[in-house]
Amino acid sequence: MDRFTETTSVSWGGRLKQSLIGMLIGIVLIIACPFGLFWNEGRAVTTAKSLDEGAGAVVSVDAGRVDRANEGRLIHLAGNTDVSDTVADTGFAVTAKALRLYRRVEMYQWKESTESSTRTKLGGGEETVTTYSYEKAWSNESINSADFKEPNGHRNPRMDISGQDFVAKQARLGGFALSRDVLDQLGNWEPLSVPENRLGAMRSAYRGSKPISLTQDGIYLGNSPDEPVIGDYRITWVVVAPGELSVIAKQVGNSFAEYQTAAGDGLLMTAEGIKTADDMFAAARTENTILTWILRGVGLVLLFVGFMLVGGPLAVFADVIPFIGSIVRLGQGLLAFSAALLLGGGTIAVAWFAYRPLLTVAVLAGVAVVIGLFIYAGRRKPAIV
């Protein structure tokens, strides 16, 4: 592994200038995050209402027969999928009787890693020691070596072959044709083995100049899989095979489309296996809850970062004496954490009242009752025996 170490220094004045820029970014975060948190609560309510609306309107139908009376309605069906043709990756003459076929591509490239350590010096300056490490690795994304700190000797060629998704044109679920929107949601991938007798066809289809050889998982583009060089490729294929599938969507002819709810969201859901409509809506509600909490957490973290950036100049001032700067940063962190919780929690509470007024009043009433019971119990005098 190649290594390159660089030591940089920033004066106290330079750090102060950086912290002032950071303060402006922090102000933007503090202003923007409450709007994001408020939006998230609205999104969660809209999705919940849409799911409730869909659960009340959905009709379970027989997958084997298309009933024209259900045209435009939200339907649920489950059964076995089938394909009448093959899906193909013509670039390598790979075919499969599957719902989806995906080409996975990795190229052998240089990869840069960095490790940094920073210390604050007396007087407020800062010294950073950064070590850049270079190693050869397989990557499914193109790594731009022009961005390396030391590109000489670590140059990557352009990645000319990329991953690609192919879907069956004639896939069915009983009497219904599976639309592209439905197929794009399927992701129960299985590896596809490449038979040895296909190697000749693959060499004819491949337009590049690299030698092709079979591997246990797929093919190798390069001279030797055991001794890879920069620019070699490993390519494998995975498929979504026909099997049991459940769908909730709007019936359009003998196919599916997104069902637009009055609440605001469009509904088009799939699930591997035979699932009831109730099971699919329950899973969707769980996903909505999880996403809501994840976005709440992201919003609170960004608020914390914003408050820390706003207080950055004060910490830099204190770093004239590094020990004092550490104490200031500790206090700043506690204040930023508290401020993020207050502003973020307050925003969520206001959004709850705006989007769920009846539920909010019910929760507050319940809390008031509990507090009242505790007060009442505390004032009762114990009986004298």
Side-chain angles (χ1 to χ4, degrees), residues 24-34 299 302-303 305-307 309 343:
L24 295 176
I25 297 173
I27 292 173
V28 172
L29 287 175
I30 292 170
I31 294 173
C33 284
L302 290 177
L303 272 176
V305 171
F307 282 113
L309 289 173
L343 181 56

Side-chain angles (χ1 to χ4, degrees), residues 145-195:
S145 56
D147 295 334
F148 289 173
K149 187 67 178 179
E150 185 56 63
N152 292 331
H154 310 110
R155 297 193 181 277
N156 290 325
R158 186 177 65 181
M159 193 171 182
D160 295 322
I161 306 172
S162 58
Q164 194 168 349
D165 188 16
F166 310 89
V167 299
K169 295 180 180 179
Q170 298 183 33
R172 305 189 71 82
L173 173 57
F176 291 82
L178 294 177
S179 63
R180 179 65 189 256
D181 289 340
V182 172
L183 292 172
D184 283 343
Q185 291 193 18
L186 307 183
N188 188 20
W189 299 107
E190 301 174 5
L192 176 69
S193 59
V194 179

